[in-house]
Amino acid sequence: MARRGSALDFRDFVTELLATGDAVDIREPVSPTLEVGAITRRVYDTRSPAPLFGNLTEGAPGFRILGAPAGLSGRPGETYGRLAAHLGLPRTTGPRELLEKLISAMHADPVPPRVVATGPCKENVVTGDDVDLERFPVPLLHAQDGGRYFGTYGFHVVRTPDGRWTSWSVSRTMLHGRTTLVGPAMPQQHLGMIHGMWRERGERTPWAMVLGAPPAALAAAGMPLPAQVSEDGYVGALAGGPVEMVRAETNDLYVPARSEIVLEGYISPDETAPEGPMGEYHGYAFAESKRQPVFHVEAVTHRQDPILPVCVAGLPPEENHTIWGTMISAVSLDLLRSSGLPVSLAWCSYEAATCWIVVAVDIRRLARTRMTERELADAVAEVLFGSHTGWLVPKVLLVADDIDITDIDQVVWALATRNHPATGHYVYPDAPGIPMVPYLTAEEARTGRGGKAVVSCLLPEQFEGVTRGVTASFRNSFPEDVRRRVLEKWTDYGFAATGHGPAGTEGHPIG
């Protein structure tokens, strides 16, 4: 079968991870009940290769699980390798290049999908009474979880009743029975918006869920694009070629043909069931469950020996932070740039669990605007908190662009030494926000408002375009010839090789 590359074919993506050593094919017997989750969480903690579980003790023979599909890598110079592979980029791609790739695709002409008669996701087709979701090795990921989660790294496909907008939405689903799932469809999310349109008509929402999707499609589904924007054309622009789509078996929706598993059916207009608790993206597992919509599965199609990707949500960084956070960063940076604000970069620090985004301010351009700190904070809040992407992230940190905001050590240093506790905090209690943030009061979570702030780490003189003092660091405190000599002789001194080149760009490039 012809290869499409890591961005457009999940099986090619897994093959490339294995070939580069960033995935490990585990042949030891492993149980989907907690053991898969425990191994995957340990992989996140140690930045180990992604685990491909091929000898599972539960589920039908041949079914497999891939953990940590977008976890960070411990391979020198390839920290973001798995994330880059989602976009078909070199494994050495860094954060800034990832964002620029995503933004350039947003402004490129969409590349329409290519509709095909069939594809790998149709190698096995099961319908009607033969549907049995329990044949899959659906994992219990955390001991505190209220059930087994089928969908933790896939996306829903729904379309408005008038057919004008098809949305791909990332949202989890928990196994509810042989033919049913249960999961959230919040009204502020595109999935919830479209489900609401069908519910108002008293009709079922035609639905599909894609697991083991082409990685670029999964990335696009996790991107907070505006309402009424369909993701399929963006995927083509992002991947440099059209995504192949095939019609579902039981409804008129189209799904990526080169996917591992596709579930088809409908969302009940009124039926709900308890869902959760679940270890979540913010790093906590709370005790309560909530009633959520029920998804009825009328057909399952899948590749031979299908691979179910899983994200074991919790303490960062995991896929909620690496994929979702990066997509949020790209959309936020594009919004801030388009608004004319003096912003050079925006980055959701993975370690902050998508609860803050750091914005680097070009202080020379800032000085020309003559804005005060309050005016800058209000302007950034208006752009971000009024958008879908800003709805997701409750805090914004403003720092000068001498800080590499993709380096959490530098962000912490700036927050500790540059934020004034009495004057550097601006609160926006009426701004809308996602109700899942842990620190919200019960009233804020109920109304979906509050808990939003802009935190300034800008020093007073930076509003005049200058920074007082020189950062005491390897980069700034020594002449170039001394730095170069130290780097070239590093191993001669008896130190281990660091994996950095002799250009002197490693360490903390502040100043």
Side-chain angles (χ1 to χ4, degrees), residues 107 333-341:
H107 293 277
L333 178 56
D334 187 58
L335 286 170
L336 291 164
R337 281 177 174 172
S338 300
S339 72
L341 288 170

Side-chain angles (χ1 to χ4, degrees), residues 7-28:
L8 290 174
D9 189 315
F10 186 82
R11 192 67 61 96
D12 288 352
F13 168 78
V14 174
T15 299
E16 291 183 22
L17 290 187
L18 290 167
T20 59
D22 201 21
V24 58
D25 192 357
I26 297 176
R27 291 300 178 179
E28 286 289 311

Side-chain angles (χ1 to χ4, degrees), residues 32-67:
T33 302
L34 297 180
E35 191 175 4
V36 161
I39 292 170
T40 303
R41 281 305 319 180
R42 179 67 174 157
V43 163
Y44 294 133
D45 293 346
T46 58
R47 298 195 178 184
S48 298
L52 177 62
F53 302 100
N55 186 5
L56 295 162
T57 59
E58 302 162 37
F63 288 12
R64 295 175 286 173
I65 289 176
L66 179 75

Side-chain angles (χ1 to χ4, degrees), residues 349-419:
S349 304
Y350 296 162
E351 297 81 0
T354 323
C355 287
W356 80 33
I357 186 167
V358 189
V359 174
V361 178
D362 183 334
I363 61 172
R364 291 150 296 279
R365 289 173 53 202
L366 175 62
R368 292 195 292 270
T369 69
R370 312 308 300 172
M371 298 175 82
T372 65
E373 186 174 80
R374 172 92 241 187
E375 290 170 339
L376 177 63
D378 286 349
V380 170
E382 182 178 5
V383 171
L384 290 185
F385 294 158
S387 70
H388 183 54
T389 182
W391 176 76
L392 297 165
V393 183
K395 299 188 187 82
V396 181
L397 273 60
L398 303 178
V399 302
D401 59 358
D402 64 325
I403 298 293
D404 178 2
I405 63 172
T406 68
D407 181 342
I408 190 63
D409 291 344
Q410 293 188 40
V411 173
V412 170
W413 180 70
L415 180 60
T417 63
R418 299 185 182 186
N419 170 254

Side-chain angles (χ1 to χ4, degrees), residues 67-335:
L72 297 183
S73 173
R75 296 167 62 86
E78 299 182 5
T79 301
Y80 306 91
R82 260 170 263 168
L83 184 55
H86 277 65
L87 311 182
L89 295 173
R91 292 189 53 82
T92 54
T93 302
R96 293 172 187 267
E97 293 81 11
L98 289 171
L99 296 187
E100 295 300 344
K101 172 70 173 180
L102 293 165
I103 291 172
S104 67
M106 291 170 62
H107 293 277
D109 292 334
V111 177
R114 178 186 297 131
V115 175
V116 295
T118 189
C121 73
K122 301 286 191 179
E123 290 173 355
N124 296 271
V125 177
V126 182
T127 60
D129 293 339
D130 293 329
V131 171
D132 183 3
L133 300 180
E134 294 172 351
R135 291 182 63 243
F136 287 87
V138 184
L140 180 65
L141 294 173
H142 313 84
Q144 299 83 10
D145 285 356
R148 295 176 179 268
Y149 277 85
F150 205 132
T152 59
Y153 201 67
F155 61 84
H156 301 270
V157 180
V158 289
R159 188 171 60 198
T160 55
D162 62 12
R164 294 182 180 179
W165 174 31
T166 298
S167 173
W168 296 355
S169 299
V170 174
S171 187
R172 70 191 189 220
T173 53
M174 188 181 84
L175 187 65
H176 182 250
R178 291 181 68 253
T179 62
T180 52
L181 302 165
V182 59
M186 289 183 284
Q188 302 93 337
Q189 292 178 306
H190 296 166
L191 172 64
M193 291 179 190
I194 292 176
H195 177 46
M197 296 176 189
W198 288 94
R199 189 173 57 244
E200 287 176 5
R201 296 159 60 108
E203 298 179 26
R204 302 169 171 178
T205 305
W207 159 85
M209 188 169 198
V210 183
L211 300 151
L218 186 283
M223 197 166 198
L225 297 171
Q228 308 297 327
V229 174
S230 298
E231 286 84 358
D232 52 11
Y234 175 71
V235 174
L238 185 60
V243 60
E244 295 177 351
M245 302 290 287
V246 65
R247 188 182 181 277
E249 296 289 315
T250 58
N251 56 42
D252 290 330
L253 298 173
Y254 284 78
V255 296
R258 307 184 77 83
S259 300
E260 294 288 319
I261 303 164
V262 177
L263 312 179
E264 302 175 16
Y266 63 90
I267 312 172
S268 171
D270 50 20
E271 185 181 0
T272 63
E275 184 265 337
M278 179 192 182
E280 299 196 37
Y281 76 94
H282 42 58
Y284 297 91
F286 297 111
E288 65 272 9
S289 63
K290 296 180 180 179
R291 297 197 70 85
Q292 304 286 13
V294 174
F295 299 74
H296 289 262
V297 181
E298 299 177 306
V300 178
T301 71
H302 63 82
R303 295 185 81 149
Q304 196 65 26
D305 300 328
I307 302 172
L308 173 67
V310 298
C311 163
V312 186
L315 279 178
E318 36 90 343
E319 284 73 20
N320 284 296
H321 318 115
T322 60
I323 288 287
W324 193 30
T326 302
M327 303 304 126
I328 291 170
S329 300
V331 175
S332 298
L333 178 56
D334 187 58
L335 286 170

Side-chain angles (χ1 to χ4, degrees), residues 427-446:
V427 180
Y428 300 87
D430 296 324
I434 189 169
M436 298 174 71
V437 177
Y439 60 72
L440 294 178
T441 67
E443 179 64 12
E444 288 170 336
R446 185 187 67 80

